[in-house]
Short mmCIF file of all heavy atoms in Angstrom, two decimals:
data_model
loop_
_atom_site.label_atom_id
_atom_site.label_comp_id
_atom_site.label_asym_id
_atom_site.label_seq_id
_atom_site.Cartn_x
_atom_site.Cartn_y
_atom_site.Cartn_z
N GLN A 241 69.70 -15.57 -3.68
CA GLN A 241 69.73 -14.41 -2.77
C GLN A 241 69.87 -13.17 -3.59
O GLN A 241 70.74 -12.33 -3.38
CB GLN A 241 70.89 -14.61 -1.83
CG GLN A 241 70.95 -13.63 -0.65
CD GLN A 241 69.93 -14.02 0.43
OE1 GLN A 241 69.52 -15.11 0.56
NE2 GLN A 241 69.48 -13.03 1.21
N LEU A 242 69.06 -13.13 -4.70
CA LEU A 242 69.17 -11.98 -5.68
C LEU A 242 69.22 -10.68 -4.99
O LEU A 242 68.42 -10.32 -4.19
CB LEU A 242 68.02 -12.07 -6.63
CG LEU A 242 67.97 -10.96 -7.64
CD1 LEU A 242 69.29 -11.00 -8.51
CD2 LEU A 242 66.72 -11.05 -8.52
N ARG A 243 70.25 -9.91 -5.40
CA ARG A 243 70.43 -8.57 -4.86
C ARG A 243 70.45 -7.60 -6.05
O ARG A 243 71.48 -7.32 -6.63
CB ARG A 243 71.74 -8.41 -4.11
CG ARG A 243 71.89 -9.33 -2.87
CD ARG A 243 71.02 -8.86 -1.67
NE ARG A 243 71.19 -7.59 -1.18
CZ ARG A 243 71.94 -7.20 -0.18
NH1 ARG A 243 72.60 -8.11 0.47
NH2 ARG A 243 72.03 -5.93 0.17
N PRO A 244 69.25 -7.14 -6.53
CA PRO A 244 69.11 -6.29 -7.73
C PRO A 244 70.06 -5.05 -7.58
O PRO A 244 70.60 -4.63 -8.54
CB PRO A 244 67.63 -5.93 -7.78
CG PRO A 244 66.98 -6.97 -7.09
CD PRO A 244 67.87 -7.47 -5.93
N GLU A 245 70.16 -4.50 -6.37
CA GLU A 245 70.98 -3.29 -6.14
C GLU A 245 72.48 -3.60 -6.39
O GLU A 245 73.24 -2.73 -6.88
CB GLU A 245 70.73 -2.73 -4.80
CG GLU A 245 71.19 -3.53 -3.61
CD GLU A 245 70.23 -4.62 -3.11
OE1 GLU A 245 69.37 -5.09 -3.85
OE2 GLU A 245 70.34 -4.94 -1.94
N LEU A 246 72.87 -4.91 -6.11
CA LEU A 246 74.27 -5.28 -6.38
C LEU A 246 74.45 -5.39 -7.93
O LEU A 246 75.47 -4.92 -8.42
CB LEU A 246 74.59 -6.59 -5.70
CG LEU A 246 75.95 -7.17 -6.02
CD1 LEU A 246 77.08 -6.34 -5.35
CD2 LEU A 246 76.05 -8.62 -5.50
N VAL A 247 73.50 -6.05 -8.56
CA VAL A 247 73.65 -6.20 -10.03
C VAL A 247 73.68 -4.85 -10.71
O VAL A 247 74.47 -4.60 -11.60
CB VAL A 247 72.42 -7.07 -10.60
CG1 VAL A 247 72.47 -7.11 -12.09
CG2 VAL A 247 72.46 -8.44 -10.00
N GLU A 248 72.88 -3.85 -10.22
CA GLU A 248 72.91 -2.54 -10.79
C GLU A 248 74.23 -1.82 -10.45
O GLU A 248 74.83 -1.24 -11.33
CB GLU A 248 71.77 -1.67 -10.13
CG GLU A 248 71.79 -0.25 -10.52
CD GLU A 248 71.69 0.08 -11.96
OE1 GLU A 248 71.12 -0.81 -12.74
OE2 GLU A 248 72.10 1.14 -12.37
N CYS A 249 74.79 -2.09 -9.30
CA CYS A 249 76.07 -1.52 -8.89
C CYS A 249 77.15 -2.00 -9.81
O CYS A 249 78.17 -1.26 -10.01
CB CYS A 249 76.32 -1.89 -7.47
SG CYS A 249 77.67 -1.00 -6.68
N LEU A 250 77.03 -3.24 -10.27
CA LEU A 250 78.04 -3.86 -11.11
C LEU A 250 77.71 -3.85 -12.58
O LEU A 250 78.32 -4.60 -13.32
CB LEU A 250 78.23 -5.28 -10.67
CG LEU A 250 78.79 -5.47 -9.22
CD1 LEU A 250 78.83 -6.99 -8.83
CD2 LEU A 250 80.07 -4.83 -8.95
N ARG A 251 76.84 -2.94 -13.01
CA ARG A 251 76.38 -2.91 -14.42
C ARG A 251 77.49 -2.69 -15.44
O ARG A 251 77.37 -3.10 -16.57
CB ARG A 251 75.26 -1.97 -14.60
CG ARG A 251 75.73 -0.51 -14.47
CD ARG A 251 74.45 0.51 -14.64
NE ARG A 251 74.97 1.83 -14.45
CZ ARG A 251 75.03 2.43 -13.27
NH1 ARG A 251 74.83 1.79 -12.12
NH2 ARG A 251 75.51 3.70 -13.15
N ASP A 252 78.58 -2.09 -14.96
CA ASP A 252 79.68 -1.77 -15.87
C ASP A 252 80.71 -2.97 -16.02
O ASP A 252 81.71 -2.89 -16.77
CB ASP A 252 80.44 -0.52 -15.50
CG ASP A 252 79.59 0.74 -15.60
OD1 ASP A 252 78.65 0.74 -16.38
OD2 ASP A 252 79.84 1.68 -14.80
N TYR A 253 80.40 -4.08 -15.32
CA TYR A 253 81.26 -5.23 -15.34
C TYR A 253 80.65 -6.37 -16.17
O TYR A 253 79.39 -6.45 -16.20
CB TYR A 253 81.53 -5.78 -13.86
CG TYR A 253 82.37 -4.85 -13.07
CD1 TYR A 253 81.86 -3.79 -12.34
CD2 TYR A 253 83.72 -5.16 -12.92
CE1 TYR A 253 82.65 -2.97 -11.53
CE2 TYR A 253 84.53 -4.38 -12.10
CZ TYR A 253 83.97 -3.30 -11.43
OH TYR A 253 84.79 -2.50 -10.61
N GLN A 254 81.45 -7.25 -16.68
CA GLN A 254 81.01 -8.48 -17.25
C GLN A 254 80.89 -9.44 -16.05
O GLN A 254 81.92 -9.72 -15.43
CB GLN A 254 82.01 -8.97 -18.29
CG GLN A 254 81.69 -10.42 -18.76
CD GLN A 254 82.78 -11.01 -19.59
OE1 GLN A 254 83.78 -10.36 -19.99
NE2 GLN A 254 82.70 -12.28 -19.79
N LEU A 255 79.69 -9.85 -15.72
CA LEU A 255 79.51 -10.71 -14.53
C LEU A 255 79.75 -12.17 -14.86
O LEU A 255 79.26 -12.71 -15.91
CB LEU A 255 78.10 -10.56 -13.93
CG LEU A 255 77.75 -9.18 -13.51
CD1 LEU A 255 76.34 -9.12 -12.95
CD2 LEU A 255 78.74 -8.60 -12.55
N ILE A 256 80.48 -12.81 -14.05
CA ILE A 256 80.88 -14.25 -14.16
C ILE A 256 80.41 -14.94 -12.90
O ILE A 256 81.04 -14.90 -11.91
CB ILE A 256 82.39 -14.48 -14.36
CG1 ILE A 256 82.77 -13.75 -15.67
CG2 ILE A 256 82.69 -15.96 -14.46
CD1 ILE A 256 84.16 -13.22 -15.67
N PRO A 257 79.20 -15.50 -12.87
CA PRO A 257 78.70 -16.18 -11.64
C PRO A 257 79.40 -17.46 -11.40
O PRO A 257 79.84 -18.18 -12.27
CB PRO A 257 77.24 -16.39 -12.02
CG PRO A 257 76.96 -16.19 -13.39
CD PRO A 257 78.22 -15.58 -13.98
N PHE A 258 79.55 -17.77 -10.06
CA PHE A 258 80.12 -19.01 -9.60
C PHE A 258 79.49 -19.42 -8.38
O PHE A 258 78.95 -18.63 -7.59
CB PHE A 258 81.67 -18.89 -9.43
CG PHE A 258 82.02 -17.98 -8.21
CD1 PHE A 258 82.29 -18.54 -7.03
CD2 PHE A 258 82.03 -16.54 -8.44
CE1 PHE A 258 82.59 -17.71 -5.94
CE2 PHE A 258 82.35 -15.81 -7.30
CZ PHE A 258 82.63 -16.37 -6.10
N CYS A 259 79.49 -20.73 -8.09
CA CYS A 259 78.98 -21.26 -6.82
C CYS A 259 79.92 -22.38 -6.37
O CYS A 259 79.86 -23.51 -7.00
CB CYS A 259 77.55 -21.81 -6.91
SG CYS A 259 77.02 -22.53 -5.36
N PRO A 260 80.74 -22.16 -5.39
CA PRO A 260 81.75 -23.25 -4.98
C PRO A 260 81.00 -24.54 -4.51
O PRO A 260 81.45 -25.65 -4.76
CB PRO A 260 82.42 -22.66 -3.77
CG PRO A 260 82.27 -21.17 -3.97
CD PRO A 260 80.90 -20.94 -4.59
N GLU A 261 79.85 -24.46 -3.91
CA GLU A 261 79.13 -25.58 -3.43
C GLU A 261 78.65 -26.43 -4.62
O GLU A 261 78.68 -27.67 -4.62
CB GLU A 261 78.06 -25.23 -2.47
CG GLU A 261 78.77 -24.63 -1.18
CD GLU A 261 77.75 -23.92 -0.18
OE1 GLU A 261 76.63 -24.37 -0.11
OE2 GLU A 261 78.28 -23.11 0.56
N TYR A 262 78.08 -25.79 -5.66
CA TYR A 262 77.74 -26.46 -6.94
C TYR A 262 78.96 -27.07 -7.52
O TYR A 262 78.96 -28.22 -7.91
CB TYR A 262 77.05 -25.46 -7.84
CG TYR A 262 76.76 -26.04 -9.17
CD1 TYR A 262 75.60 -26.85 -9.31
CD2 TYR A 262 77.60 -25.84 -10.19
CE1 TYR A 262 75.33 -27.43 -10.63
CE2 TYR A 262 77.38 -26.42 -11.54
CZ TYR A 262 76.17 -27.24 -11.63
OH TYR A 262 75.96 -27.71 -12.86
N LEU A 263 80.07 -26.27 -7.60
CA LEU A 263 81.26 -26.83 -8.24
C LEU A 263 81.88 -27.98 -7.42
O LEU A 263 82.60 -28.86 -7.91
CB LEU A 263 82.34 -25.65 -8.37
CG LEU A 263 81.98 -24.59 -9.34
CD1 LEU A 263 82.92 -23.41 -9.26
CD2 LEU A 263 81.92 -25.15 -10.80
N GLY A 264 81.55 -28.00 -6.14
CA GLY A 264 82.02 -29.12 -5.25
C GLY A 264 81.08 -30.33 -5.31
O GLY A 264 81.26 -31.27 -4.57
N GLU A 265 80.06 -30.24 -6.15
CA GLU A 265 79.11 -31.31 -6.45
C GLU A 265 78.15 -31.58 -5.29
O GLU A 265 77.64 -32.73 -5.17
CB GLU A 265 79.87 -32.66 -6.86
CG GLU A 265 80.63 -32.42 -8.13
CD GLU A 265 81.34 -33.66 -8.64
OE1 GLU A 265 81.04 -34.77 -8.10
OE2 GLU A 265 82.12 -33.52 -9.59
N LEU A 266 77.82 -30.58 -4.51
CA LEU A 266 76.78 -30.73 -3.55
C LEU A 266 75.43 -30.48 -4.19
O LEU A 266 75.37 -29.72 -5.18
CB LEU A 266 76.92 -29.67 -2.41
CG LEU A 266 77.98 -30.02 -1.39
CD1 LEU A 266 78.30 -28.79 -0.47
CD2 LEU A 266 77.58 -31.23 -0.54
N PRO A 267 74.39 -31.19 -3.79
CA PRO A 267 73.07 -31.01 -4.44
C PRO A 267 72.41 -29.74 -4.06
O PRO A 267 72.76 -29.09 -3.09
CB PRO A 267 72.28 -32.25 -3.92
CG PRO A 267 72.89 -32.51 -2.56
CD PRO A 267 74.36 -32.17 -2.72
N THR A 268 71.47 -29.32 -4.85
CA THR A 268 70.63 -28.20 -4.55
C THR A 268 69.17 -28.63 -4.62
O THR A 268 68.82 -29.17 -5.67
CB THR A 268 70.82 -27.04 -5.49
OG1 THR A 268 72.17 -26.60 -5.41
CG2 THR A 268 69.94 -25.83 -5.15
N PRO A 269 68.33 -28.60 -3.61
CA PRO A 269 68.65 -28.11 -2.31
C PRO A 269 69.47 -29.09 -1.49
O PRO A 269 69.65 -30.24 -1.87
CB PRO A 269 67.30 -27.84 -1.60
CG PRO A 269 66.38 -28.85 -2.33
CD PRO A 269 66.94 -29.00 -3.72
N ARG A 270 70.00 -28.60 -0.38
CA ARG A 270 70.86 -29.44 0.53
C ARG A 270 70.66 -28.94 1.96
O ARG A 270 70.17 -27.82 2.17
CB ARG A 270 72.27 -29.40 0.15
CG ARG A 270 72.81 -27.97 0.16
CD ARG A 270 74.27 -27.90 -0.49
NE ARG A 270 74.61 -26.56 -0.75
CZ ARG A 270 74.29 -25.85 -1.81
NH1 ARG A 270 73.58 -26.39 -2.80
NH2 ARG A 270 74.61 -24.55 -1.99
N LEU A 271 71.06 -29.73 2.91
CA LEU A 271 71.03 -29.25 4.36
C LEU A 271 71.99 -28.10 4.46
O LEU A 271 73.04 -28.13 3.87
CB LEU A 271 71.39 -30.37 5.25
CG LEU A 271 70.40 -31.53 5.39
CD1 LEU A 271 70.99 -32.68 6.21
CD2 LEU A 271 69.14 -31.03 6.06
N PRO A 272 71.69 -27.10 5.35
CA PRO A 272 72.66 -26.11 5.63
C PRO A 272 73.90 -26.61 6.23
O PRO A 272 73.87 -27.61 7.00
CB PRO A 272 71.82 -25.13 6.53
CG PRO A 272 70.79 -25.88 7.09
CD PRO A 272 70.45 -26.97 6.13
N SER A 273 75.04 -25.98 6.02
CA SER A 273 76.30 -26.40 6.57
C SER A 273 76.95 -25.20 7.24
O SER A 273 76.73 -24.03 6.88
CB SER A 273 77.27 -26.84 5.45
OG SER A 273 76.64 -27.96 4.75
N GLU A 274 77.82 -25.52 8.22
CA GLU A 274 78.65 -24.46 8.87
C GLU A 274 79.99 -25.10 9.22
O GLU A 274 80.16 -26.30 9.29
CB GLU A 274 77.97 -23.98 10.19
CG GLU A 274 76.71 -23.25 9.92
CD GLU A 274 76.13 -22.57 11.18
OE1 GLU A 274 76.73 -22.60 12.21
OE2 GLU A 274 74.95 -22.10 11.00
N ILE A 275 80.97 -24.21 9.32
CA ILE A 275 82.36 -24.63 9.72
C ILE A 275 82.34 -24.75 11.19
O ILE A 275 82.03 -23.84 11.92
CB ILE A 275 83.38 -23.57 9.21
CG1 ILE A 275 83.31 -23.52 7.68
CG2 ILE A 275 84.77 -24.00 9.69
CD1 ILE A 275 84.22 -22.43 7.10
N CYS A 276 82.76 -25.91 11.63
CA CYS A 276 82.84 -26.20 13.08
C CYS A 276 84.32 -26.20 13.55
O CYS A 276 85.18 -26.72 12.95
CB CYS A 276 82.25 -27.55 13.38
SG CYS A 276 80.51 -27.58 12.89
N ASN A 277 84.56 -25.48 14.65
CA ASN A 277 85.82 -25.39 15.29
C ASN A 277 86.88 -24.64 14.53
O ASN A 277 88.04 -25.00 14.54
CB ASN A 277 86.33 -26.85 15.70
CG ASN A 277 85.42 -27.52 16.67
OD1 ASN A 277 84.85 -26.95 17.57
ND2 ASN A 277 85.15 -28.80 16.36
N GLY A 278 86.43 -23.61 13.78
CA GLY A 278 87.46 -22.84 13.08
C GLY A 278 86.83 -22.04 11.96
O GLY A 278 85.62 -21.85 11.92
N ASP A 279 87.69 -21.74 10.98
CA ASP A 279 87.19 -21.01 9.82
C ASP A 279 87.71 -21.69 8.55
O ASP A 279 88.27 -22.83 8.66
CB ASP A 279 87.70 -19.57 9.90
CG ASP A 279 89.18 -19.37 9.91
OD1 ASP A 279 89.91 -20.38 9.77
OD2 ASP A 279 89.66 -18.24 10.07
N GLY A 280 87.55 -21.08 7.39
CA GLY A 280 87.99 -21.68 6.18
C GLY A 280 89.43 -21.99 6.13
O GLY A 280 89.92 -23.02 5.59
N ALA A 281 90.32 -21.10 6.67
CA ALA A 281 91.73 -21.37 6.70
C ALA A 281 92.03 -22.63 7.54
O ALA A 281 92.81 -23.46 7.14
CB ALA A 281 92.49 -20.15 7.27
N ALA A 282 91.30 -22.86 8.63
CA ALA A 282 91.46 -23.96 9.45
C ALA A 282 90.97 -25.23 8.71
O ALA A 282 91.64 -26.31 8.86
CB ALA A 282 90.75 -23.86 10.79
N VAL A 283 89.98 -25.12 7.95
CA VAL A 283 89.47 -26.28 7.12
C VAL A 283 90.56 -26.68 6.15
O VAL A 283 90.91 -27.95 6.01
CB VAL A 283 88.17 -25.96 6.37
CG1 VAL A 283 87.83 -27.00 5.37
CG2 VAL A 283 86.99 -25.76 7.38
N LEU A 284 91.12 -25.69 5.45
CA LEU A 284 92.16 -25.97 4.46
C LEU A 284 93.39 -26.58 5.09
O LEU A 284 94.09 -27.39 4.48
CB LEU A 284 92.58 -24.70 3.67
CG LEU A 284 91.44 -24.11 2.87
CD1 LEU A 284 91.80 -22.75 2.33
CD2 LEU A 284 91.10 -25.08 1.65
N ALA A 285 93.67 -26.26 6.37
CA ALA A 285 94.79 -26.76 7.06
C ALA A 285 94.51 -28.16 7.75
O ALA A 285 95.39 -28.70 8.34
CB ALA A 285 95.26 -25.79 8.20
N GLY A 286 93.28 -28.63 7.61
CA GLY A 286 92.86 -29.95 8.18
C GLY A 286 92.57 -29.84 9.65
O GLY A 286 92.44 -30.84 10.34
N ALA A 287 92.36 -28.62 10.19
CA ALA A 287 92.10 -28.46 11.60
C ALA A 287 90.61 -28.13 11.99
O ALA A 287 90.29 -28.03 13.09
CB ALA A 287 92.93 -27.26 12.09
N ALA A 288 89.71 -28.11 10.96
CA ALA A 288 88.31 -27.86 11.23
C ALA A 288 87.47 -28.53 10.13
O ALA A 288 88.12 -28.95 9.10
CB ALA A 288 87.98 -26.31 11.19
#
């Protein structure tokens, strides 16, 4: 989802890219995912 204008906006920073889904060992490509019955905080609490 390259955003050249974002990269330009951050040109004065050392950029450290990360992808939680890659770090979580999901494949690329993969089926799209969504949080059901809550948000990320609810997922972390075991409620979604």
Side-chain angles (χ1 to χ4, degrees):
Q241 192 75 24
L242 177 61
R243 299 290 303 263
E245 66 276 26
L246 177 69
V247 175
E248 174 61 22
C249 189
L250 298 175
R251 71 181 175 278
D252 294 333
Y253 289 84
Q254 174 190 347
L255 300 183
I256 301 150
F258 69 96
C259 176
E261 294 170 28
Y262 174 82
L263 293 170
E265 300 183 8
L266 284 169
T268 302
R270 58 190 167 273
L271 291 171
S273 300
E274 294 187 8
I275 299 172
C276 298
N277 301 315
D279 61 6
V283 171
L284 293 170

